[in-house]
């Protein structure tokens, strides 16, 4: 999410994962386009849900990164077209205002702010609390995003427990894994 690139070694697959529907380990263990997603809350499109993920027998807890393959569902597309429907005959005027004013454009992007990101928490066994790590976000339901989030202060032991909190019905998850970061690298840009 920070637009940094890392050279990594070791891959630790998901040992177990649960969502509101029960065991979802098989959906998150492989890069197979068998995505985990949920339906939206029919009474509140901004309601949240949590997924709990365990990684057992992680040999090296230093410099861990969470690898995730994800994309959005069509919820934001639905909201965009629903908003245009509410604008009625004024839709052209509204988009004209958006195209000519940065201030109006910033106010218009309320769906992303309201629906939120994929928030990542790690379990601290010593303190018995979930500690916020960082978050993932990307626009669009078509291409699968492949990103890694650098994790901080992972407690000792060989098991890593993570919690992902996200908007119910907004995200499709295909793959989760941990990896050890060797070093930050600069990619070679090819025009």
């Amino acid at each position: 999410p920070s637009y940094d690139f890392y050279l990594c070694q070791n891959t630790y697959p998901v040992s177990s994962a649960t969502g509101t529907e029960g065991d979802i380990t098989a959906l998150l263990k492989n890069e197979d386009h068998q995505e985990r997603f949920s339906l939206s809350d029919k009474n509140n499109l901004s309601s949240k849900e949590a997924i709990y993920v365990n990684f057992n027998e992680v040999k090296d807890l230093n410099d861990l990164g969470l690898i995730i393959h994800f994309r959005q569902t069509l919820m934001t597309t639905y909201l965009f077209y629903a908003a245009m429907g509410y604008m009625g005959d004024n839709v052209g005027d509204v988009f004209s205002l958006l195209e000519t004013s940065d201030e109006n454009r910033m106010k218009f992007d309320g769906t992303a702010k309201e629906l939120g990101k994929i928030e990542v928490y790690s379990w601290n066994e010593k303190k018995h609390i979930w500690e916020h790590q960082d978050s993932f976000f990307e626009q669009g339901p078509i291409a699968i995003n492949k990103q890694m989030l650098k994790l901080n202060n992972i407690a000792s032991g060989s098991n890593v427990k993570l919690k992902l909190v996200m908007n119910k019905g907004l995200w499709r998850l295909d793959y989760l894994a941990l990896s050890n970061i060797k070093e930050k690298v600069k990619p070679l840009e090819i025009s």
Side-chain angles (χ1 to χ4, degrees):
S2 61
Y3 300 103
D4 292 323
F5 292 83
Y6 297 95
L7 180 63
C8 297
Q9 63 185 9
N10 306 323
T11 302
Y12 307 105
V14 170
S15 300
S16 65
T18 56
T20 53
E21 68 274 36
D23 186 4
I24 56 173
T25 308
L27 293 172
L28 301 179
K29 196 167 191 154
N30 300 303
E31 302 175 57
D32 57 7
H33 299 279
Q34 300 298 312
E35 298 170 316
R36 186 276 175 189
F37 61 93
S38 62
L39 299 176
S40 62
D41 183 327
K42 65 181 182 179
N43 297 314
N44 180 3
L45 289 180
S46 64
S47 65
K48 304 292 183 206
E49 66 177 337
I51 292 176
Y52 297 91
V53 186
N54 294 317
F55 298 90
N56 297 338
E57 299 180 26
V58 177
K59 294 180 177 120
D60 185 359
L61 291 176
N62 295 314
D63 300 315
L64 281 176
L66 172 65
I67 300 167
I68 183 172
H69 296 188
F70 69 105
R71 61 183 172 154
Q72 287 190 11
T73 62
L74 291 170
M75 181 184 280
T76 52
T77 304
Y78 164 76
L79 291 172
F80 175 75
Y81 285 106
M84 287 187 358
Y86 285 121
M87 292 176 205
D89 293 339
N90 295 325
V91 68
D93 297 333
V94 171
F95 279 100
S96 176
L97 288 171
L98 293 173
E99 289 178 4
T100 57
S101 168
D102 289 337
E103 182 181 341
N104 287 334
R105 216 175 5 261
M106 295 298 287
K107 291 178 186 174
F108 185 74
D109 194 19
T111 55
K113 291 174 188 153
E114 179 65 30
L115 297 178
K117 303 174 180 183
I118 301 174
E119 301 291 336
V120 178
Y121 297 83
S122 64
W123 177 251
N124 186 319
E125 189 66 41
K126 292 178 183 175
K127 297 179 181 177
H128 287 84
I129 59 168
W130 289 103
E131 296 178 329
H132 186 260
Q133 292 286 328
D134 206 340
S135 59
F136 292 100
F137 182 78
E138 189 70 30
Q139 293 279 11
I142 302 198
I144 293 178
N145 301 289
K146 299 178 179 185
Q147 294 184 17
M148 184 181 71
L149 184 83
K150 190 173 179 179
L151 299 175
N152 301 305
N153 303 322
I154 297 299
S156 62
S158 63
N159 299 333
V160 175
K161 295 179 181 181
L162 299 177
K163 176 172 73 168
L164 281 63
V165 177
M166 63 194 86
N167 186 286
K168 190 171 172 52
L170 178 62
W171 299 102
R172 301 174 73 91
L173 307 178
D174 179 48
Y175 176 68
L176 292 173
L178 293 179
S179 186
N180 294 111
I181 299 168
K182 282 179 68 174
E183 62 182 299
K184 187 175 173 180
V185 295
K186 183 173 175 156
L188 174 65
E189 294 182 21
I190 301 172
S191 58

